C-alpha cells in the first residue's frame, strides 16, 4: 500500500503527466454527458421499449461500443464505430491498393493523407448508418416520436446530428491521443464498456442474495472467476515470442555501428480483438437472413444463432474466431517486409539465411504461436455464453470474456504502459516493483 501511495504521489508531482490525466478525464466526462442527451424529435420518457429491443443481437454489439448511447437514442448513438469501420477499410486498402501502399511509405505526409481519407470515409459511413438508424427508430420507438416533427425534418435533423456527434467523438479521441494519455479512440470505447460494470455487479449481487439465487458465497466465487479470467487475458495480451536478431558491425569514420543483439517480439495474439468482432458479426447474419422463415427447421436454425448459451452456437463461434485470428494476422503481419528491413540494416537471425529463408522462418514461428493464441482467444470468446448458461446475469456475463473484457484489459495495459514510460523517463520507479508493463504494442527492439 505504501508503494502504491508513493507511485500516486510521483504521478501527481509530474506537471505534464498530471495535465494529461486531467485532460483525459475531462474529455471522457464530456463524452459520457453527451451519451445521455436524447436526439431532437424524440420523447425520452417513451424510449423504454426501444431501449429493450436495441440491446439484443448485433444491435447489442453496437450499443456496447457506443457506451449505451444506441439504446438511449442519444446524439452519440452511433458512437465511434463508423470511424473504426472507416479505419479498417483504409487499412485493408493499404494492403491491396498500390496507391495507398505508396502513401503508407511516405512518412508523415502520407500518414496525414491517409488520415484525411479516413475522416472523409467516416462522414460517408456515418451518414449511411444514420439514415438506417432513422428507419429503425421509426419502426421500433413507437410513441417516442413527437408528432409535430415531420418525417423529412426528423430524418434530416437526426442524420445531421448523428454525423456531427460521431465526428465530435472522433475529435475527442484525437485530442485525448494528442493532449491526454493513452489512445483516445480505445479509451472512449473502454469507458463506454466500463460504465456498465457497476450496474452489472449490482444486478448480479441482487439476484444472488435474494430468493434462491445461491447466496453471497456464490457471488464471491463468480468475482474470483472474473479475476482469474482477467489475469489470463493479461497473459494473452502481453505474451510474446522473442526472435534474436544480430546486426553486423559497421565502422563509419571513428564510430562503430551495429554489433549488438536485439529481439523481434512476435505477439501471441497479434490480431487483438478483431477476430471476436468479425465472428460476432458473422454469427448474426444467418438469423437476420432467414428471420422471416416459418418452417420448423428454419426456426431451429434461428434458435441456434440467436442463443449464445447453445452448445452448437459456441462451437461454431469458436471455429470462426480461430479462422479469423489466422486470417487477420495474415493481413497485418508481413514477414517478407520484416526480412527485407533486417537485410537492409545488416541484420540476421542466427542460423538462418537472409532473405526468403528469414521470411519463411519468421512466418513459421508466427504460425506456431498464433495457433495456441487463437484457441485461447476462442475460449475467451465463448466464456460469456458459458457464464450465462451457468445462471450468471446476462449483463454481468458479458464481462467474463469476449469483446468487453478483452478491450478493457488491452486499453488499460496500454494506458498504464504510457504512464510508466513517463515515470521512467523522469527517473522515477515504474508502476511495478519488478518487470515492466507491456501493452498490446511494443517497440520493435523490445
Amino acid at each position: 500500500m505504501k508503494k502504491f501511495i508513493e507511485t500516486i504521489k510521483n504521478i501527481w508531482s509530474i506537471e505534464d503527466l498530471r495535465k494529461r490525466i486531467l485532460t483525459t478525464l475531462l474529455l471522457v466526462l464530456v463524452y459520457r454527458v453527451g451519451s445521455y442527451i436524447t436526439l431532437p424529435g424524440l420523447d425520452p420518457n417513451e424510449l423504454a421499449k426501444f431501449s429493450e429491443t436495441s440491446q439484443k443481437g448485433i444491435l447489442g454489439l453496437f450499443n456496447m461500443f457506443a457506451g449505451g448511447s444506441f439504446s438511449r437514442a442519444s446524439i452519440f448513438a452511433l458512437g465511434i464505430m463508423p470511424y473504426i469501420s472507416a479505419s479498417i477499410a483504409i487499412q485493408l486498402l493499404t494492403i491491396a491498393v498500390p496507391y495507398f501502399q505508396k502513401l503508407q511509405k511516405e512518412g508523415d505526409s502520407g500518414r496525414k493523407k491517409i488520415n484525411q481519407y479516413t475522416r472523409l470515409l467516416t462522414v460517408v459511413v456515418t451518414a449511411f448508418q444514420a439514415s438506417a438508424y432513422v428507419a429503425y427508430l421509426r419502426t421500433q420507438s413507437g410513441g417516442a416520436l413527437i408528432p409535430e416533427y415531420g418525417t423529412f425534418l426528423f430524418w434530416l435533423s437526426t442524420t445531421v446530428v448523428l454525423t456531427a456527434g460521431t465526428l465530435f467523438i472522433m475529435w475527442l479521441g484525437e485530442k485525448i491521443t494528442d493532449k491526454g494519455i493513452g489512445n483516445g479512440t480505445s479509451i472512449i470505447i473502454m469507458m463506454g464498456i466500463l460504465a456498465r460494470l457497476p450496474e452489472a455487479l449490482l444486478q448480479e449481487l441482487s439476484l444472488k442474495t435474494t430468493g434462491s439465487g445461491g447466496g453471497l458465497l456464490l457471488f464471491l466465487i463468480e468475482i474470483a472467476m472474473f479475476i482469474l479470467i482477467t489475469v489470463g487475458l493479461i497473459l494473452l495480451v502481453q505474451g510474446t515470442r522473442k526472435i534474436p536478431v544480430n546486426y553486423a558491425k559497421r565502422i563509419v569514420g571513428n564510430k562503430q555501428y551495429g554489433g549488438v543483439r536485439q529481439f523481434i517480439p512476435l505477439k501471441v495474439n497479434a490480431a487483438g480483438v478483431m477476430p471476436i468482432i468479425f465472428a460476432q458479426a458473422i454469427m448474426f447474419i444467418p438469423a437476420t437472413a432467414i428471420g422471416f422463415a416459418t418452417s420448423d427447421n428454419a426456426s431451429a436454425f434461428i434458435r441456434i444463432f440467436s442463443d449464445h448459451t447453445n452448445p452448437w452456437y459456441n462451437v461454431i463461434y469458436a471455429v470462426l474466431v480461430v479462422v479469423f485470428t489466422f486470417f487477420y494476422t495474415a493481413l497485418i503481419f508481413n514477414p517478407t517486409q520484416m526480412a527485407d528491413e533486417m537485410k537492409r540494416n545488416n541484420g540476421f537471425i542466427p542460423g538462418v539465411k537472409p532473405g526468403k529463408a528469414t521470411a519463411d522462418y519468421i512466418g513459421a514461428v508466427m504460425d506456431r504461436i498464433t495457433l495456441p493464441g487463437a484457441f485461447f482467444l476462442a475460449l475467451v470468446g465463448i466464456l460469456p455464453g458459458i457464464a450465462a448458461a451457468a445462471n450468471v446475469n446476462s449483463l454481468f456475463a458479458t464481462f467474463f470474456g469476449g469483446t468487453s473484457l478483452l478491450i478493457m484489459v488491452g486499453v488499460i495495459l496500454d494506458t498504464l504502459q504510457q504512464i510508466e514510460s513517463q515515470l521512467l523517463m523522469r527517473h522515477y520507479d515504474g508502476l511495478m516493483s519488478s518487470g515492466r508493463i507491456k501493452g498490446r504494442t511494443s517497440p520493435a527492439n523490445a
Side-chain angles (χ1 to χ4, degrees):
M1 190 65 176
K2 183 178 179 181
K3 168 69 175 175
F4 175 76
I5 295 175
E6 187 67 27
T7 302
I8 296 297
K9 288 181 179 179
N10 292 338
I11 293 173
W12 196 254
S13 64
I14 301 173
E15 183 180 0
D16 180 59
L17 185 56
R18 182 173 68 247
K19 286 182 179 179
R20 286 181 174 273
I21 293 175
L22 292 176
T23 299
T24 301
L25 294 176
L26 177 61
L27 293 176
V28 167
L29 178 62
V30 171
Y31 166 67
R32 292 304 301 161
V33 170
S35 66
Y36 286 90
I37 300 176
T38 307
L39 287 165
L42 293 174
D43 184 357
N45 298 321
E46 300 291 335
L47 285 171
K49 180 182 177 183
F50 175 75
S51 177
E52 181 180 348
T53 59
S54 59
Q55 298 189 50
K56 300 176 181 179
I58 194 168
L59 299 181
L61 180 63
F62 289 155
N63 189 52
M64 180 191 69
F65 280 108
S69 299
F70 189 93
S71 61
R72 288 190 289 267
S74 79
I75 58 175
F76 293 159
L78 299 182
I80 198 70
M81 280 301 291
Y83 175 68
I84 294 176
S85 302
S87 299
I88 293 173
I90 296 296
Q91 185 180 11
L92 295 176
L93 288 176
T94 58
I95 299 173
V97 179
Y99 173 72
F100 286 94
Q101 291 178 352
K102 181 181 177 182
L103 286 180
Q104 194 177 30
K105 297 177 181 178
E106 288 181 357
D108 289 338
S109 61
R111 196 176 302 112
K112 288 179 180 178
K113 288 182 180 179
I114 290 176
N115 290 338
Q116 190 64 25
Y117 284 127
T118 304
R119 294 187 183 100
L120 292 174
L121 185 58
T122 300
V123 174
V124 176
V125 173
T126 308
F128 175 77
Q129 292 186 359
S131 298
Y133 187 68
V134 170
Y136 181 71
L137 280 172
R138 287 175 182 160
T139 58
Q140 298 293 332
S141 61
L145 290 173
I146 298 176
E148 288 75 10
Y149 250 73
T151 303
F152 176 75
L153 178 60
F154 180 71
W155 171 82
L156 180 63
S157 64
T158 303
T159 302
V160 171
V161 170
L162 289 177
T163 304
T166 295
L167 294 178
F168 181 71
I169 296 174
M170 182 181 70
W171 178 83
L172 286 178
E174 291 177 351
K175 285 299 176 184
I176 291 174
T177 303
D178 186 32
K179 303 292 185 181
I181 194 80
N183 182 281
T185 302
S186 299
I187 286 179
I188 285 175
I189 295 174
M190 183 202 69
M191 294 307 298
I193 296 172
L194 194 60
R196 303 183 307 154
L197 183 58
E199 179 187 357
L201 287 171
L202 291 175
Q203 285 186 12
E204 185 65 15
L205 178 61
S206 176
L207 290 173
K208 288 295 180 288
T209 54
T210 56
S212 58
L216 182 61
L217 178 61
L218 183 57
F219 176 74
L220 294 177
I221 292 174
E222 291 176 356
I223 296 298
M225 291 298 298
F226 173 72
I227 294 173
L228 286 175
I229 293 169
T230 303
V231 172
L233 272 180
I234 292 173
L235 295 175
L236 176 65
V237 171
Q238 292 197 317
T240 56
R241 164 73 157 84
K242 293 184 177 180
I243 297 180
V245 179
N246 291 341
Y247 287 90
K249 292 181 181 179
R250 292 183 299 126
I251 298 177
V252 180
N254 295 325
K255 294 184 178 180
Q256 176 179 304
Y257 296 91
V260 295
R261 168 171 286 195
Q262 296 183 351
F263 296 92
I264 301 175
L266 302 181
K267 304 292 290 183
V268 174
N269 179 31
V273 74
M274 294 308 298
I276 290 182
I277 295 176
F278 287 155
Q280 283 178 331
I282 293 296
M283 292 298 287
F284 291 133
I285 291 175
T288 303
I290 60 174
F292 298 101
T294 56
S295 67
D296 294 337
N297 292 335
S299 298
F301 188 72
I302 292 172
R303 284 196 297 272
I304 290 176
F305 284 90
S306 59
D307 181 12
H308 67 289
T309 62
N310 187 295
W312 282 110
Y313 176 97
N314 288 313
V315 169
I316 298 171
Y317 184 33
V319 171
L320 285 175
V321 171
V322 172
V323 170
F324 279 121
T325 300
F326 278 95
F327 173 74
Y328 195 74
T329 301
L331 282 179
I332 64 174
F333 184 76
N334 190 343
T336 302
Q337 183 179 359
M338 295 178 66
D340 292 340
E341 290 286 342
M342 289 169 52
K343 190 174 182 180
R344 278 196 294 267
N345 292 294
N346 296 319
F348 62 94
I349 298 173
V352 181
K353 293 181 179 180
K356 187 177 184 302
T358 297
D360 292 341
Y361 176 80
I362 295 175
V365 172
M366 193 66 189
D367 289 340
R368 285 199 297 269
I369 66 173
T370 299
L371 182 61
F375 280 113
F376 192 84
L377 192 63
L379 176 62
V380 170
I382 65 175
L383 276 176
I386 296 174
N391 295 323
V392 177
N393 172 41
S394 59
L395 182 58
F396 187 45
T398 60
F399 288 94
F400 271 77
T403 314
S404 301
L405 191 59
L406 191 57
I407 289 176
M408 285 172 52
V409 168
V411 175
I412 290 173
L413 286 175
D414 285 346
T415 306
L416 290 178
Q417 183 189 29
Q418 289 198 24
I419 293 175
E420 185 174 59
S421 298
Q422 294 275 350
L423 290 172
L424 294 174
M425 187 170 61
R426 292 167 174 82
H427 307 292
Y428 288 99
D429 291 335
L431 296 175
M432 301 173 62
S433 57
S434 62
R436 292 290 173 258
I437 294 176
K438 294 181 291 183
R440 292 171 296 183
T441 56
S442 302
N445 59 352

